[in-house]
Amino acid sequence: MTTTTSAPAGLIPPSEDPWRGFIPGSWMATVDVHDFIVCNYSPYEGDAQFLCGPTDKTTRLWNTLERQYLAHERRLRVYDVDTTTPADIDAFGVGYISEDDDVVVGLQTDVPLKRAMMPNGGWRMVETAISEAGHEHDPRIKEIFTTYRKTHNDAVFDIYTPRVTAARSAHLITGLPDAYGRGRIIGDYRRVALYGVDALIVDKERMKDAVAGQDFSEDWARYREEHSEQIKALRALIRMGARYGFDIARPAADAREAVQWTYLAYLAAIKSQDGAAMSIGRLSAFLDVYIARDLAAGALTETQAQELIDALVIKLRIVRFLRTKAYDQIFSGDPYWATWTDAGLGADGRTMVTRTSLRLLQSLRNLGPAPEPNITILWDEALPETFKDLCAAISVQTSSIQYVSDEHVRDHWGDDAAIACCVSPMRTGKQMQFFGARMNIAKTLLYAINGGRDEMTGSQVVEGFDPICSDEPLDYEQVWAAFDAMLTWVAQTYVEALNIIHYSHDKYAYEAIEMALHDSEIVRTLGCGIAGLSIVADSLSAIKYATVTPVRDDTGLVVDFTTEGTFPVYGNDDDRADEIAQLVVSTVMDRIRALPRYRNAVPTQSVLTITSNVVYGRATGSFPSGHRKGTPFSPGANPENGMDTHGMVASMLSVAKLDYADALDGISLTNTIMPSSLGHTERERVRNLVGILDAGFGSGLFHANINVLNRATLEDAMADPESYPNLTVRVSGYAVNFVKLTREQQLDVLSRTFHSSSWGPP
Amino acid sequence: MSTLSALPVTDQSALAIEGFDAPEHRLAGTGLAGLAETTLPREKRLEAMRVGELGSIHSWELSTAVDGPGTRLVVFLAGCPLRCLYCQNPDTLRMRDGQAVSAEDLLALVRRYRPVLAATGGGLTLSGGEVLMQPVFAARILAGAQAMGVHTAIDTSGFLGTACTEEMLANTDLVLLDVKSGIESTYTRVTGRALGPTLDFGRRVVAAGVELWIRFVLVPELTDAAENVEPVAAYAATLSTVTRVEVLPFHQMGRDKWATLGRPYALGDTSPPAPELTERVREQFRAHGLVTH
């Protein structure tokens, strides 16, 4: 791009300069949305009085969607599938919820909620999903993707090693993105609005040819090929926009276009990729600049501004991907993580809260609560008090938002970072993740004790490790050494699998449009994860502080434990137990850091389970902590269900002790507190929740997923789902419609700790 | 029932000292995470308790919105002179069932949570059991907490109110006074004790200028009669430092504890009050101009 005080020549719409009135900065010379925002946004510290209710159009649109589509989908599971058109950016014609009322247009297919095939990930998943949705697959499409076109899934299984296959079958490593899109890549969709697609193509062509004079290497060739793919995707995006009647080759000229352009860019991503998490990024301050300009010029009213945000939110509520029922076990409730990150502070100390941040929250009132977009507030004590109160009020009313520490995110990833999926922060447009699901470290502990034999089947899965044979009480030092050794093996196997997966994904299911909306030189992280932290911490604590004796079956396999005496339990702000949890997390990270990684990715770790805590639990045995065979793990970094007996804040303080530097991909805590335990009045509940969040994040907590719910409400919803279509529950870094969970998942949510303060000790 | 019930209710000093059974054992399912039990030999514990260096504690938790404003470090002391039929914490009735914790360690816990308590507008609440069963220990904790700038509250029946010194009251920012009945005979039926000391204590708190919350546990067919509620409300209305009244609906969360302890529980079949009943009682308090939740 050239340095000008207006948009590039030739892209300017006839009447108006799209950049009129904006404060100039380096954003005009290079693609730099962050600089544009810093130069132009207006922090908002006032109250919520200015907000508007839904327009008639909004209400009509939402009702149409609910009556004609969502109500049917809840009954059918899948509303419809297109079985003849492999998805792509420009694969379908236009589609509308209601042509008259759609303020922001664009659908993934031609009909709302109709799901598209994305066979580049693998044919078998597509075929299964079509069949489970009650449809027949098209044999011609099958022929293409099984005969002529190799898929990501094919490539992965061509490369997998025997130890990976063994660990995968034994559920030591689970949820790997080897048959579905990896996700957790956030295109900087704002770029399309600010610069227009033509300027982005020019930039990518320049970057592609910047290396043209260099010698051949495989990296060089991949760089050039990926740029070509990105440029083709950008051209397809222009075509897709044109079908809807927009010239998105040029920059957006007003707020309406800025919202529409940004959405079309995101739409291109969700039309061409079915990544597990397709997050939208950090839009509010950016869009607010356009809205503020139009409001000041009298070109837009507050009512229209709210209508625009509501319209965008409606679109983000109806993203759909074709998934199998087995996939639903890991990612329950049909989530897609259109995570919208908001608030936080800028590097200059100003709040990033704008009026549009409040408009986004208002959408939950105008449209009612819903799990998507996954609204994620970057919390800092220094956020405006009025905004903090509004967030807390919405949490108390709807449980629909989650909170992440702005300080951790800002310190590590800057003030334009967004959350992908549940808790994964990344610099927008400058960083992507190789998503890695997780390893089951609880099962790893049992493998350490059993010398690589599986506690459920008795079969020898891992060779070369001695079991602990003594029938004496377990010795902490001995168990720790065995655990560390087994953990090292599992980590090696796990990272090997991830390297294979991401090598194949880049090759056969490359996210061209998302990467086109990134810088050419980016940071890649390898997002490793763990499940079962609380079980390992409590079990090691039991071994250290109580007397734990193994119980063996007649083949010598340890299948249970007797634990005598008491022991400190993780989740009660007891340093003795919490230090063990810290040690486990830092040890896992050390083992991962030592391993070679695809594309030299920066190794990170998440302590997050999504909803796989149920399937992990089902595949795992009994523990010294008292955790029973086959029962769900607690979610993420949560203390064991029901074992955090010292109150919600104590539970937060324990989790806050885990060192974020060891888990840069996020540490997830999901808490449920009963409304009566937050206060007698609405005002008390709001102020007390604000206090709890300030206290938790002030103590170093990374994430707080807050439910304000009574158990009885959930029990009613299980008995009478029709009466609770919109009951939203936060499960683990995301929210779901409670009634869309499987019964087993619903029971899991019910078995979690409900923090109550019932005038007496627990 | 413990031997305490044989004591004349007026002999409160004897009661308090008789109640000083040093804790005997650790309970399963500890509620003392992060607090070390004292290593003092048993024979030295009693003396340490007399001078308030050692307390018998059932458990602690960080809870919100119930035992005072904000998020609070609530410390449940072990031992209670009352034997309320509806007690939801029967495991806190005997001092010897608690764990011996030093004042120094407990104050270290308060210090640890000072930032959290400040961030939430909360503080320390000494509850129980009956906090005034261990008045010297409690006074030491309240003084120490207040010296750190932590808001202090005690949750008490007031029955042992004479054990609370003026200095201790001065170190207390808020008293949660449980008035379990407004009629002498009902009070005695519910608690096994006399009502008078509670009423006297409330007046002393007012005289000392300390903020008061009045709490009334609503138990169907035990404390719910309008003529039982009315004198409580009338009494509360005479106390100028009362800022709120809390009507606490009876619940059955204590039932399992009674069963575990193997003690007879008279209210096993009692249901929580219907919302309409709770509202009626709250209205009775509101009719006296009291802010009631």
Side-chain angles (χ1 to χ4, degrees):
Chain A
M1 260 182 214
T2 52
T3 310
T4 60
T5 53
S6 63
L11 301 179
I12 304 167
S15 54
E16 291 182 297
D17 173 1
W19 292 353
R20 66 194 179 280
F22 291 156
I23 293 167
S26 63
W27 61 271
M28 299 176 110
T30 54
V31 176
D32 189 348
V33 176
H34 173 243
D35 183 63
F36 167 77
I37 294 170
V38 171
C39 289
N40 286 284
Y41 88 101
S42 307
Y44 182 71
E45 307 218 351
D47 64 25
Q49 293 297 319
F50 74 93
L51 291 169
C52 294
T55 61
D56 290 347
K57 209 177 233 192
T58 299
T59 304
R60 236 178 8 245
L61 188 68
W62 183 247
N63 287 342
T64 302
L65 191 59
E66 169 61 32
R67 274 201 305 273
Q68 293 185 22
Y69 300 101
L70 292 169
H72 295 286
E73 186 186 56
R74 277 195 294 275
R75 198 164 37 80
L76 300 167
R77 178 174 170 273
V78 173
Y79 178 79
D80 197 6
V81 187
D82 185 295
T83 57
T84 58
T85 319
D88 208 346
I89 295 169
D90 55 349
F92 289 88
V94 296
Y96 301 92
I97 302 169
S98 157
E99 215 172 329
D100 294 336
D101 292 333
D102 268 356
V103 173
V104 173
V105 302
L107 294 178
Q108 287 173 287
T109 61
D110 49 350
V111 173
L113 308 187
K114 188 202 265 188
R115 302 175 193 229
M117 297 178 288
M118 300 201 186
N120 286 345
W123 175 255
R124 198 171 48 83
M125 287 276 273
V126 171
E127 187 176 317
T128 307
I130 290 174
S131 149
E132 286 174 352
H135 293 256
E136 298 267 336
H137 68 268
D138 182 335
R140 290 169 307 154
I141 307 291
K142 178 173 183 170
E143 187 184 2
I144 293 168
F145 285 94
T146 53
T147 307
Y148 308 112
R149 177 42 160 99
K150 187 169 177 175
T151 67
H152 163 53
N153 179 253
D154 297 331
V156 168
F157 282 85
D158 281 352
I159 312 172
Y160 265 172
T161 57
R163 70 174 179 178
V164 168
T165 319
R168 196 177 172 277
S169 304
H171 306 286
L172 272 173
I173 51 181
T174 306
L176 300 172
D178 54 15
Y180 64 89
R182 59 191 167 190
R184 289 205 188 161
I185 300 174
I186 309 172
D188 187 354
Y189 304 111
R190 306 167 301 186
R191 291 181 183 187
V192 170
L194 183 57
Y195 298 106
V197 181
D198 273 351
L200 299 175
I201 290 173
V202 168
D203 188 54
K204 282 291 177 186
E205 282 175 336
R206 185 176 60 81
M207 291 307 292
K208 179 186 172 190
D209 285 338
V211 302
Q214 295 178 13
D215 289 343
F216 176 88
S217 72
E218 289 187 42
D219 284 346
W220 174 88
R222 180 172 55 194
Y223 176 92
R224 301 243 327 142
E225 187 183 6
E226 286 180 355
H227 273 73
S228 292
E229 290 295 318
Q230 293 171 16
I231 290 162
K232 280 186 256 180
L234 289 169
R235 293 200 174 113
L237 171 56
I238 293 176
R239 289 196 297 276
M240 191 258 283
R243 280 190 198 157
Y244 281 102
F246 298 114
D247 176 16
I248 64 172
R250 61 164 176 82
D254 58 22
R256 203 167 285 278
E257 288 191 353
V259 171
Q260 181 67 63
W261 271 219
T262 304
Y263 172 66
L264 286 173
Y266 175 70
L267 181 63
I270 58 174
K271 286 186 79 167
S272 56
Q273 276 290 336
D274 58 356
M278 298 294 285
S279 302
I280 195 159
R282 194 164 177 173
L283 304 184
S284 295
F286 174 77
L287 294 176
D288 195 74
V289 175
Y290 285 85
I291 292 172
R293 188 180 65 176
D294 285 7
L295 285 170
L300 194 74
T301 64
E302 179 56 39
T303 307
Q304 290 170 321
Q306 185 65 49
E307 187 180 72
L308 265 180
I309 299 301
D310 287 345
L312 177 56
V313 165
I314 288 173
K315 284 286 149 68
L316 299 181
R317 289 184 176 193
I318 56 165
V319 179
R320 293 294 184 272
F321 298 113
L322 185 59
R323 306 294 195 195
T324 62
K325 288 180 178 171
Y327 180 96
D328 289 349
Q329 296 283 317
I330 306 173
F331 304 113
S332 191
D334 210 10
Y336 42 90
W337 291 278
T339 307
W340 181 324
T341 306
D342 207 334
L345 304 178
D348 56 12
R350 294 183 298 161
T351 176
M352 302 284 293
V353 172
T354 62
R355 285 174 184 262
T356 298
S357 310
L358 278 73
R359 293 181 186 115
L360 175 65
L361 296 179
Q362 177 74 355
S363 72
L364 289 167
R365 289 179 168 155
N366 287 354
L367 305 171
E372 303 272 7
N374 181 22
I375 297 176
T376 303
I377 299 299
L378 296 175
W379 186 273
D380 190 289
E381 197 183 346
L383 289 178
E385 289 298 323
T386 48
F387 182 75
K388 286 157 71 174
D389 284 358
L390 180 62
C391 291
I394 291 200
S395 275
V396 168
Q397 285 162 15
T398 70
S399 301
S400 290
I401 51 183
Q402 66 169 359
Y403 304 91
V404 168
S405 160
D406 185 57
E407 190 176 352
H408 281 318
V409 171
R410 196 175 64 240
D411 284 355
H412 286 81
W413 314 108
D415 60 0
D416 194 37
I419 299 296
C421 189
C422 303
V423 294
S424 305
M426 50 191 65
R427 291 173 190 269
T428 310
K430 297 172 184 304
Q431 183 177 343
M432 62 85 77
Q433 174 183 142
F434 294 138
F435 166 58
R438 52 204 58 83
M439 49 181 165
N440 184 342
I441 59 167
K443 199 170 181 72
T444 302
L445 176 62
L446 297 181
Y447 270 48
I449 291 167
N450 277 318
R453 282 182 75 193
D454 191 274
E455 77 284 359
M456 305 290 273
T457 63
S459 60
Q460 188 76 42
V461 175
V462 185
E463 302 285 348
F465 292 86
D466 293 329
I468 293 172
C469 293
S470 161
D471 282 324
E472 294 296 302
L474 293 172
D475 172 66
Y476 177 77
E477 297 301 329
Q478 188 190 7
V479 171
W480 175 264
F483 174 62
D484 191 9
M486 187 59 73
L487 185 65
T488 303
W489 184 91
V490 176
Q492 285 167 350
T493 308
Y494 174 53
V495 171
E496 182 172 284
L498 295 185
N499 287 337
I500 292 167
I501 288 165
H502 293 290
Y503 170 85
S504 304
H505 206 299
D506 272 354
K507 211 166 165 184
Y508 294 98
Y510 181 68
E511 297 88 345
I513 190 65
E514 290 160 82
M515 298 318 296
L517 300 174
H518 277 72
D519 292 356
S520 289
E521 298 289 347
I522 58 163
V523 171
R524 295 177 179 82
T525 58
L526 183 65
C528 301
I530 57 170
L533 176 63
S534 61
I535 296 172
V536 173
D538 290 351
S539 293
L540 289 171
S541 174
I543 293 167
K544 189 168 180 176
Y545 294 101
T547 305
V548 175
T549 314
V551 175
R552 296 174 192 278
D553 69 7
D554 49 17
T555 70
L557 186 73
V558 176
V559 291
D560 204 352
F561 302 88
T562 55
T563 300
E564 292 163 280
T566 61
F567 55 92
V569 175
Y570 169 64
N572 296 289
D573 196 26
D574 186 327
D575 291 337
R576 295 168 299 168
D578 298 344
E579 277 163 11
I580 295 175
Q582 282 175 298
L583 178 68
V584 170
V585 170
S586 64
T587 304
V588 168
M589 199 60 236
D590 286 344
R591 300 299 161 261
I592 291 168
R593 282 191 190 106
L595 298 167
R597 294 162 314 266
Y598 172 63
R599 288 186 104 162
N600 289 320
V602 176
T604 62
Q605 175 178 208
S606 66
V607 189
L608 167 80
T609 52
I610 310 192
T611 43
S612 61
N613 58 306
V614 175
V615 280
Y616 277 110
R618 202 188 299 140
T620 306
S622 294
F623 287 87
S625 64
H627 182 93
R628 301 309 303 161
K629 175 179 170 178
T631 58
F633 289 9
S634 64
N638 270 55
E640 182 77 345
N641 294 340
M643 299 278 269
D644 41 350
T645 56
H646 287 71
M648 184 160 104
V649 174
S651 150
M652 285 175 140
L653 295 176
S654 279
V655 177
K657 285 177 210 167
L658 302 176
D659 191 346
Y660 178 59
D662 286 326
L664 291 173
D665 196 39
I667 299 163
S668 175
L669 172 65
T670 300
N671 263 332
T672 302
I673 187 160
M674 310 208 303
S676 60
S677 303
L678 277 176
H680 292 296
T681 63
E682 172 72 12
R683 178 77 194 146
E684 267 184 25
R685 287 191 278 271
V686 165
R687 289 311 298 168
N688 282 328
L689 182 55
V690 167
I692 286 171
L693 291 169
D694 279 343
F697 289 119
S699 306
L701 189 71
F702 180 78
H703 171 236
N705 211 6
I706 302 283
N707 287 301
V708 183
L709 285 171
N710 283 312
R711 192 178 259 120
T713 309
L714 301 182
E715 287 165 350
D716 283 352
M718 284 182 75
D720 180 18
E722 295 289 316
S723 299
Y724 294 88
N726 297 316
L727 176 61
T728 303
V729 179
R730 303 211 58 91
V731 285
S732 180
Y734 73 108
V736 291
N737 282 129
F738 183 71
V739 296
K740 278 192 176 183
L741 291 173
T742 62
R743 185 174 168 78
E744 192 182 16
Q745 308 270 13
Q746 289 176 331
L747 290 170
D748 168 48
V749 171
L750 279 168
S751 73
R752 295 179 183 179
T753 305
F754 280 63
H755 290 286
S756 65
S757 323
S758 56
W759 47 285
Chain B
M1 213 171 279
S2 84
T3 54
L4 292 179
S5 59
L7 288 166
V9 292
T10 48
D11 188 4
Q12 291 180 9
S13 57
L15 176 79
I17 290 171
E18 189 67 24
F20 263 109
D21 292 327
E24 283 173 346
H25 59 277
R26 270 181 94 86
L27 290 174
T30 171
L32 277 179
L35 263 187
E37 197 172 6
T38 184
T39 50
L40 271 183
R42 185 168 158 68
E43 61 275 15
K44 293 200 173 161
R45 291 186 188 183
L46 198 60
E47 179 51 28
M49 289 183 80
R50 276 179 201 277
V51 297
E53 285 170 2
L54 210 58
S56 176
I57 294 179
H58 173 274
S59 59
W60 64 265
E61 68 171 343
L62 290 170
S63 72
T64 304
V66 174
D67 295 316
T71 293
R72 311 200 64 88
L73 171 59
V74 184
V75 179
F76 298 97
L77 280 71
C80 186
L82 270 50
R83 289 295 175 268
C84 300
L85 296 177
Y86 55 70
C87 181
Q88 83 280 10
N89 309 314
D91 47 345
T92 65
L93 287 179
R94 299 190 307 190
M95 206 182 285
R96 65 172 170 277
D97 288 345
Q99 291 170 250
V101 171
S102 75
E104 193 184 343
D105 283 353
L106 185 53
L107 283 170
L109 195 70
V110 176
R111 191 170 297 111
R112 177 186 181 108
Y113 292 129
R114 196 167 48 172
V116 165
L117 303 178
T120 61
L124 168 72
T125 299
L126 297 183
S127 181
E130 171 53 62
V131 54
L132 296 177
M133 281 280 276
Q134 304 180 51
V136 192
F137 176 73
R140 191 183 283 251
I141 301 302
L142 292 167
Q146 220 181 42
M148 289 179 219
V150 172
H151 180 271
T152 56
I154 58 171
D155 175 12
T156 175
S157 72
F159 177 70
L160 300 178
T162 55
C164 181
T165 65
E166 289 305 313
E167 190 189 349
M168 181 176 172
L169 260 185
N171 289 327
T172 304
D173 296 311
L174 172 68
V175 173
L176 312 175
L177 183 64
D178 304 313
V179 184
K180 294 156 195 285
S181 169
I183 299 173
E184 184 72 44
S185 59
T186 306
Y187 192 92
T188 305
R189 190 171 142 231
V190 171
T191 70
R193 296 291 179 182
L195 171 61
T198 298
L199 303 181
D200 291 344
F201 182 63
R203 292 182 198 108
R204 263 191 69 208
V205 173
V206 172
V210 176
E211 186 181 359
L212 255 175
W213 288 6
I214 300 294
R215 315 175 104 187
F216 177 77
V217 179
L218 177 60
V219 188
E221 292 169 18
L222 190 63
T223 68
D224 60 342
E227 53 276 24
N228 185 53
V229 175
E230 199 51 33
V232 180
Y235 166 72
T238 67
L239 302 175
S240 60
T241 60
V242 169
T243 54
R244 70 160 68 186
V245 173
E246 292 182 327
V247 175
L248 308 174
F250 168 75
H251 61 65
Q252 282 290 9
M253 287 183 231
R255 178 158 52 193
D256 292 351
K257 295 182 189 174
W258 286 92
T260 306
L261 294 166
R263 295 189 209 162
Y265 177 45
L267 300 183
D269 298 327
T270 303
S271 299
E276 303 76 44
L277 175 58
T278 307
E279 198 48 33
R280 189 218 83 201
V281 171
R282 286 181 175 147
E283 280 304 321
Q284 244 185 303
F285 281 98
R286 288 181 192 128
H288 287 263
L290 296 159
V291 174
T292 305
H293 295 299

